[in-house]
Amino acid sequence: MPETLLEQHAEALRLFGERVRAVTGDQWDAPTPCAEWNVRELVNHVTGEQLWIPPLVTEGRTVEELGDAFSGDVLGDDPVAAWDRASAAAHAAFAASGALDRTVRLSYGPALGSAYCSELTADCVVHTWDLARGIGADDRLPDGLVEFSIKEVMPYADGLAASGMYAAPLEVPAGANAQTRLLGLVGRKG
């Protein structure tokens, strides 16, 4: 089980990448639990998130400076290769000496690199579930990553729906397992 933040980040990227490599040619247009995105759009979104990391973390650039550099289709003709390049560069940026202690200037204000890494790790975990559901793959998530993601999302779960990025949190039955609780926090029904 991953123990450090960088190990958790690497594991989340690996899991998402496994699902990306499992997408068959006829599944790219399939719906996902993210109502506004099909499989390709979901993979494009998560790949795009990874592309932001090197310029923000390594180069110290701002969202404003980058503008719409990562808008639109970032997958091109080879989504798997695009994902592999983006995820490798993102992890390398976070793994660089001092990166997790650096201040990163995000759209919502300054944050430590470690907070940004935690946020994107949890986001990748949730989107791994979304992608698995979209392609009919195994949607079970590793317990350690689920618990990490719950701790990350819990403080701001109520505000996620207001951001328009997630559905409103769902009530889950008492005694629900950790994955069901995480999915409920982000408005998904497991």
Side-chain angles (χ1 to χ4, degrees):
M1 180 173 99
E3 297 196 13
T4 70
L5 176 56
L6 288 173
E7 289 170 338
Q8 290 164 323
H9 181 252
E11 178 69 0
L13 294 175
R14 185 188 66 73
L15 287 171
F16 190 81
E18 285 177 359
R19 300 316 185 277
V20 171
R21 282 182 276 291
V23 178
T24 61
D26 62 341
Q27 292 178 318
W28 289 104
D29 292 324
T32 69
C34 299
E36 68 278 5
W37 292 326
N38 64 26
V39 166
R40 184 179 174 90
E41 292 162 337
L42 174 67
V43 172
N44 190 71
H45 163 72
V46 180
T47 303
E49 286 185 327
Q50 306 319 305
L51 292 172
W52 284 94
I53 297 168
L56 294 176
V57 173
T58 305
E59 300 168 20
R61 297 183 66 193
T62 66
V63 171
E64 293 79 21
E65 288 173 338
L66 293 168
D68 62 358
F70 305 117
S71 297
D73 179 28
V74 299
L75 298 179
D77 294 334
D78 191 346
V80 173
W83 165 257
D84 287 344
R85 282 190 304 274
S87 62
H91 188 70
F94 279 134
S97 180
L100 296 180
D101 297 321
R102 202 170 291 143
T103 298
V104 182
R105 294 172 293 168
L106 304 173
S107 60
Y108 54 80
L112 278 178
S114 58
Y116 184 38
C117 185
S118 294
E119 174 187 328
L120 290 182
T121 299
D123 190 68
C124 193
V125 169
V126 171
H127 286 318
T128 295
W129 181 85
D130 292 331
L131 183 54
R133 291 303 276 261
I135 65 172
D138 183 2
D139 65 5
R140 289 173 295 166
L141 301 167
D143 293 340
L145 283 177
V146 170
E147 291 293 345
F148 169 86
S149 299
I150 288 171
K151 288 177 190 163
E152 172 61 25
V153 172
M154 185 75 74
Y156 54 85
D158 291 336
L160 289 175
S163 74
M165 301 286 281
Y166 290 91
L170 302 174
E171 290 207 26
V172 295
N177 68 29
Q179 181 167 316
T180 301
R181 291 193 328 270
L182 171 62
L183 296 173
L185 283 173
V186 295
R188 281 142 170 99
K189 194 171 197 162

